[in-house]
């Protein structure tokens, strides 16, 4: 196999630290496996003294298989594993832990839910809140942050401290570990027991770390201790593809590697074997706008190829229809469905596209489990308003208790649950409960009037009235403040519900569609587990490491990508890296799509389009279809 100069430099490296910058499609796995082979065959390194650390089990498995193939099936005791697997094996030896001590995800959720009950944490989105708290606990441990200096994103500092301490105590009581404990305990073990550290240092003389840009602080500190004093630390990664800051990954660690190891050798794997030159050059212009990065020039090994297509559509419906028709065109040209992928920034975006794919009977698979919009509590609230308004009971001044409980204090009307008696709620009964409080009677009468109005409207008008007339949007803004969220996160869900309602003449038709959509989602998951010839739909995050002949990027609009949450420079640079990752998944054809209008509002084109086109200031773009 022919290698170019920088690949050989990396493969032939023997002792001391080395930083290998590996651009997209540059053959980094090949370089890592050949370097291990070189260590064993040319430098006579003991195979058992070589440790290869990856971030996922799949990557560790692939790396091991590729190495074994190189060695013609000879079984050698080189260690391949994820950070957690490697560190847990160290803890097993020290503390006699086994797999039964590792806590499962559902047990972690259960602990947080119990603590929420104990401390009366009242939230609409219990699972989302609990997940948010768990990832914050993870960040505090992984970044080795002092709890006194931590500002929670989900609740007050006082409440976060209670939840954090309650969670930690529960784990200690049950003698359980989570993945972050494995790291923290390993760090403490090595810091306190120099004899144990020395034994592991003698065992692992050569350490290779893949995807180094995704490392967090505590992982790095352990690896540094393990590699000392010889520092045979060979790290491979691409700072431009660091997209996991929300999980604690710190591209700054990679950028600071040569400061920590001034004697480190460097190699740039600067040839992209995956994509055509048009795609490589456009992606290079985009990522060049980031300030905090290693400057590098990536060249394409393949030919020039087709230009990147930047397509603007009138609205989101036209965008999805256009994409689906183009996918069909590609199949007519001889491509397979599985040659194509549609990437998007968040899992809220692909709903319209999925509905369109279902309509056209195009097979598709999801890399991520997609939340069902209609199962979201906001959608359920809006549907409850519409059901009460259109229900036959409403004509008799009554409503179903379950629906009333959902909406009665959204927005706040300060109605006591005790005023709502029976499975069918009579509004006259509620008013008589409040007969000595005239202002409360007025509130109920206003609600009755609103529900009658809603009952007469088409779905999209009803949703608009609930949001603006009844004051549901205002309730969402207040709730967002309470939850320390940006109101846009909740308003966007309401926008999506309203957009869906626009396609239906009656509430009955819309509700039937919701049921069908839910069934379709479940069927897609089942039917397509074995059906490999299907279009792949996934978030930009999930696309990392994959490649497809044809890639579509959906909704390249401001506030979508870059996301509206991205405010700081570091956030914007991460968003740009994510777009870069999405662009560099494409081998032959790359389509970037955006809409001029969505949710009845004008949309702005993503700044990233102007950047990859090389426009001054990134203002105007060459359009595809109108």
């Amino acid at each position: 196999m022919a290698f170019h100069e920088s690949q050989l430099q990396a493969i032939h490296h023997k002792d001391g630290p080395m930083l290998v910058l590996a651009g997209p499609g540059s053959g980094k796995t090949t370089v890592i496996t050949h370097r291990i082979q070189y260590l064993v065959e040319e430098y006579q390194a003991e195979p058992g003294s070589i440790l290869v650390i990856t971030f996922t089990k799949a990557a560790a498995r692939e790396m091991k298989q590729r190495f074994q193939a190189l060695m013609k099936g000879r079984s050698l005791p080189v260690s391949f594993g994820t950070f957690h697997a490697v560190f847990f094996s160290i803890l097993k030896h020290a503390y006699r832990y086994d797999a039964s001590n590792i806590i499962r995800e559902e047990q972690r959720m259960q602990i947080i839910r119990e603590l929420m009950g104990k401390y009366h944490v009242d939230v609409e989105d219990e699972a989302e809140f609990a997940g948010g708290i768990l990832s914050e606990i993870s960040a505090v441990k992984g970044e080795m942050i002092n709890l006194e200096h931590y500002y929670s994103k989900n609740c007050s500092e006082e409440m976060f401290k209670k939840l954090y301490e309650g969670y930690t105590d529960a784990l200690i009581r049950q003698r359980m570990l989570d993945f972050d404990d494995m790291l923290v305990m390993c760090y403490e073990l090595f810091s306190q027991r120099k004899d144990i550290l020395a034994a592991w240092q003698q065992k692992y003389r050569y350490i290779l770390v893949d995807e180094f840009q995704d490392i967090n602080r505590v992982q790095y500190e352990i690896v540094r201790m393990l590699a000392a004093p010889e520092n045979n630390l060979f790290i491979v990664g691409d700072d431009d593809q660091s997209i996991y800051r929300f999980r604690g990954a710190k591209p700054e660690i990679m950028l600071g590697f040569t400061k920590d190891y001034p004697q480190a050798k460097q190699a740039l794997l600067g040839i992209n074997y995956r994509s055509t030159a048009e795609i490589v050059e456009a992606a290079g212009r985009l990522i060049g706008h980031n300030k905090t990065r290693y400057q590098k020039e990536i060249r394409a090994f393949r030919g020039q190829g087709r230009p990147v297509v930047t397509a603007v559509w009138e609205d989101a419906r036209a965008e999805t229809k256009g994409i689906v028709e183009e996918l069909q065109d590609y199949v007519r040209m001889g491509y397979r469905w599985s040659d194509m992928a549609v990437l998007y920034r968040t899992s809220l975006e692909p709903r319209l596209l999925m509905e369109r794919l279902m309509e056209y009977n195009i097979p598709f698979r999801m890399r991520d489990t997609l939340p069902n919009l209609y199962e979201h509590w906001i959608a359920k609230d809006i549907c409850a308003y519409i059901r009460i308004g259109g229900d036959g009971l409403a004509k008799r001044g009554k409503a179903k208790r379950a629906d009333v409980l959902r909406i009665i204090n959204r927005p706040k009307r300060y109605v006591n649950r005790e005023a709502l008696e029976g499975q069918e709620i009579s509004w006259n009964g509620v008013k008589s409960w409040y007969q000595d409080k005239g202002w409360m009677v007025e509130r109920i009468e206003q609600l009755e009037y609103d529900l009658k109005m809603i009952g007469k409207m088409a779905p999209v008008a009803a949703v608009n009235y609930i949001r603006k007339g009844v004051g549901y949007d205002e309730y969402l803004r207040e709730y967002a403040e309470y939850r320390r969220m940006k109101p846009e996160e909740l308003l966007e869900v309401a926008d999506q519900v309203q957009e869906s309602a626009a396609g239906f003449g009656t509430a009955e038709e819309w509700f039937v569609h919701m049921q069908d959509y839910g069934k379709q989602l479940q069927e897609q998951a089942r039917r397509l587990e074995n059906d490999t010839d299907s279009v792949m739909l996934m978030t930009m995050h999930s696309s990392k490491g994959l490649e497809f002949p044809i890639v579509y990027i959906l909704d390249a609009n401001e506030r979508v990508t870059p996301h509206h949450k991205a405010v700081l420079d570091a956030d914007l640079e991460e968003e740009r890296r994510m777009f870069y990752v999405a662009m560099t998944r494409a081998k032959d054809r790359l389509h970037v799509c955006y809409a001029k209008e969505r949710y009845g509002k004008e949309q702005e084109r993503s700044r990233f389009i102007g950047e990859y086109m090389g426009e001054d200031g990134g203002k105007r773009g060459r359009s595809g279809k109108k």
Side-chain angles (χ1 to χ4, degrees):
M1 187 173 182
F3 292 106
H4 63 76
E5 194 182 328
S6 55
Q7 286 179 318
L8 286 174
Q9 188 190 343
I11 289 166
H12 294 167
H13 177 74
K14 183 170 184 264
D15 296 321
M18 183 171 206
L19 164 65
V20 179
L21 289 166
S26 61
K28 68 180 175 66
T29 305
T30 303
V31 166
I32 293 170
T33 50
H34 277 80
R35 189 209 173 209
I36 307 167
Q37 180 190 27
Y38 212 82
L39 283 173
V40 173
E41 293 184 345
E42 301 300 322
Y43 297 136
Q44 308 303 309
E46 183 59 49
S49 71
I50 301 170
L51 171 64
V52 186
I53 306 178
T54 64
F55 274 83
T56 65
K57 279 186 194 167
R61 202 164 43 242
E62 187 198 351
M63 201 80 76
K64 186 173 185 174
Q65 286 164 354
R66 298 264 292 264
F67 173 64
Q68 283 174 339
L70 267 187
M71 305 309 286
K72 309 284 188 289
R74 263 198 303 155
S75 186
L76 296 175
V78 175
S79 297
F80 294 86
T82 61
F83 275 101
H84 292 114
V86 171
F87 297 162
F88 188 57
S89 69
I90 291 168
L91 293 178
K92 277 201 289 196
H93 283 279
Y95 299 121
R96 300 281 176 264
Y97 280 120
D98 63 37
S100 66
N101 297 109
I102 302 173
I103 192 163
R104 296 193 312 278
E105 196 55 35
E106 59 269 26
Q107 293 172 295
R108 298 176 74 218
M109 286 293 266
Q110 187 55 34
I111 292 171
I112 296 294
R113 284 196 164 110
E114 284 168 10
L115 291 166
M116 285 163 68
K118 179 179 174 182
Y119 295 121
H120 311 292
V121 177
D122 184 22
V123 292
E124 303 302 338
D125 43 346
E126 189 184 274
E128 204 174 302
F129 177 82
I133 293 294
L134 285 171
S135 61
E136 289 199 79
I137 290 172
S138 202
V140 168
K141 291 180 183 178
E143 289 312 300
M144 308 165 88
I145 300 168
N146 182 329
L147 203 52
E148 303 302 321
H149 306 149
Y150 184 71
Y151 179 80
S152 172
K153 299 182 187 75
N154 283 286
C155 56
S156 71
E157 279 58 71
E158 182 191 357
M159 179 53 67
F160 180 75
K161 194 161 184 263
K162 284 180 181 171
L163 295 172
Y164 181 95
E165 288 170 349
Y167 172 79
T168 309
D169 291 346
L171 260 61
I172 292 167
R173 271 200 319 277
Q174 297 171 31
R175 196 173 146 75
M176 296 295 253
L177 298 174
D178 66 16
F179 284 134
D180 303 295
D181 292 327
M182 292 179 197
L183 309 182
V184 173
M185 288 176 73
C186 205
Y187 174 77
E188 288 169 351
L189 176 70
F190 281 175
S191 303
Q192 291 157 13
R193 292 288 304 273
K194 297 302 174 199
D195 55 331
I196 292 176
L197 172 59
W200 287 101
Q201 285 169 335
Q202 279 161 11
K203 174 167 174 55
Y204 292 129
R205 301 276 311 287
Y206 294 95
I207 300 174
L208 298 87
V209 184
D210 186 24
E211 302 283 13
F212 190 81
Q213 74 278 352
D214 295 334
I215 204 163
N216 71 19
R217 176 58 55 197
V218 70
Q219 288 166 339
Y220 182 52
E221 295 302 337
I222 299 168
V223 166
R224 290 196 70 186
M225 285 195 266
L226 199 52
E230 294 175 16
N231 296 330
N232 294 329
L233 186 53
F234 183 89
I235 67 158
V236 182
D238 183 5
D239 53 308
D240 290 334
Q241 294 187 70
S242 178
I243 58 172
Y244 294 114
R245 262 177 79 230
F246 68 98
R247 281 193 209 153
K250 287 270 185 280
E252 303 89 288
I253 295 174
M254 185 165 187
L255 292 164
F257 186 78
T258 48
K259 290 193 188 77
D260 293 336
Y261 297 98
Q263 75 280 30
K265 300 269 191 341
Q266 275 193 55
L268 167 64
L269 305 184
I271 294 179
N272 181 322
Y273 293 93
R274 173 190 300 151
S275 309
T276 59
E278 285 274 5
I279 294 167
V280 171
E281 286 158 16
R285 284 192 292 273
L286 169 86
I287 202 66
H289 285 261
N290 271 5
K291 306 275 189 296
T292 314
R293 64 186 289 261
Y294 285 109
Q295 292 300 319
K296 54 183 94 65
E297 191 185 331
I298 308 290
R299 300 189 315 283
F301 180 76
R302 298 174 60 202
Q304 196 61 18
R306 299 287 188 99
V308 175
V309 176
T310 307
V312 54
W313 305 89
E314 281 303 322
D315 58 27
R317 289 185 184 278
E319 180 189 23
T320 54
K321 185 168 187 281
I323 290 172
V324 164
E325 287 171 355
E326 287 182 20
L327 295 175
Q328 289 178 315
D329 287 343
Y330 274 125
V331 167
R332 286 188 203 103
M333 289 160 57
Y335 284 96
R336 291 164 57 82
W337 295 118
S338 55
D339 289 332
M340 298 178 275
V342 183
L343 312 183
Y344 36 84
R345 172 62 184 84
T346 71
S347 57
L348 262 183
E349 284 154 67
R351 180 188 53 82
L352 270 182
L353 177 66
M354 286 169 55
E355 292 181 358
R356 190 75 74 180
L357 290 165
M358 290 172 187
E359 187 189 323
Y360 280 69
N361 272 325
I362 292 176
F364 66 90
R365 283 190 302 161
M366 319 278 316
R367 186 92 198 270
D368 321 80
T369 51
L370 191 73
N372 183 345
L373 171 71
Y374 308 119
E375 292 291 319
H376 196 287
W377 60 270
I378 292 174
K380 287 182 174 178
D381 287 357
I382 288 170
C383 290
Y385 267 109
I386 292 173
R387 259 198 311 275
I388 298 172
D391 194 337
L393 288 172
K395 311 277 188 296
R396 294 185 276 124
K398 293 185 175 183
K400 286 184 182 144
R401 178 182 169 82
D403 284 336
V404 173
L405 284 174
R406 274 209 84 86
I407 60 101
I408 194 68
N409 286 315
R410 299 174 188 182
K412 282 264 186 296
R413 297 183 181 93
Y414 302 97
V415 175
N416 192 319
R417 282 178 79 108
E418 288 173 23
L420 310 172
E421 293 170 352
Q423 287 313 299
E424 288 181 2
I425 307 299
S426 150
W427 297 119
N428 284 337
V430 180
K431 285 186 282 194
S432 67
W433 204 84
Y434 282 110
Q435 60 193 356
D436 54 345
K437 293 181 175 150
W439 72 92
M440 286 301 292
V441 173
E442 278 174 32
R443 279 180 193 162
I444 306 300
E445 284 172 346
Q446 178 62 49
L447 175 59
E448 279 188 280
Y449 171 79
D450 287 335
L451 291 166
K452 276 184 191 140
M453 293 295 289
I454 291 164
K456 295 173 188 167
M457 294 175 179
V460 70
V463 177
N464 193 50
Y465 185 84
I466 292 161
R467 296 179 66 185
K468 307 292 192 298
V470 177
Y472 189 77
D473 274 9
E474 204 39 55
Y475 157 71
L476 290 181
R477 286 190 184 92
E478 284 170 18
Y479 182 70
E481 192 178 341
Y482 163 67
R483 279 278 277 106
R484 294 193 174 184
M485 300 165 85
K486 283 197 164 184
E488 287 96 326
E489 289 179 57
L490 300 179
L491 295 170
E492 191 180 349
V493 176
D495 283 341
Q496 287 247 344
V497 174
Q498 193 165 335
E499 179 180 67
S500 167
F504 301 91
T506 67
E508 288 72 27
E509 289 170 17
W510 190 31
F511 291 157
V512 167
H513 165 75
M514 290 181 195
Q515 284 181 322
D516 290 346
Y517 180 76
K519 283 182 199 150
Q520 282 271 18
L521 269 187
Q522 288 169 342
E523 274 171 34
Q524 284 295 339
R526 275 198 303 272
R527 184 164 65 84
L528 295 172
E529 269 171 14
N530 311 314
D531 182 2
T532 49
D533 190 24
S534 34
V535 178
M536 190 62 110
L537 270 53
M538 68 185 91
T539 60
M540 294 176 179
H541 275 113
S542 293
S543 73
K544 189 161 165 282
L546 302 175
E547 56 180 47
F548 301 90
I550 298 157
V551 168
Y552 280 81
I553 294 177
L554 189 65
D555 295 341
N557 289 91
E558 282 292 306
R559 306 183 66 69
V560 175
T561 175
H563 197 262
H564 59 69
K565 276 187 185 175
V567 180
L568 307 172
D569 286 347
D571 298 328
L572 284 167
E573 295 217 340
E574 175 109 339
E575 292 287 320
R576 192 175 283 109
R577 290 194 294 271
M578 220 175 299
F579 205 89
Y580 175 74
V581 164
M583 290 180 78
T584 53
R585 300 310 93 200
K587 291 159 78 170
D588 305 324
R589 308 276 185 95
L590 174 61
H591 297 256
V592 180
C593 306
Y594 69 100
K596 290 199 275 189
E597 185 256 358
R598 188 154 196 191
Y599 313 133
K601 305 182 193 97
E602 204 176 311
Q603 301 292 311
E604 197 183 334
R605 187 189 77 167
S606 170
R607 70 192 72 181
F608 298 151
I609 291 175
E611 290 175 0
Y612 74 65
M613 284 180 161
E615 295 170 355
D616 293 337
K619 287 284 180 252
R620 292 202 34 220
R622 179 171 62 80
S623 69
K625 299 191 181 172
K626 293 286 183 284

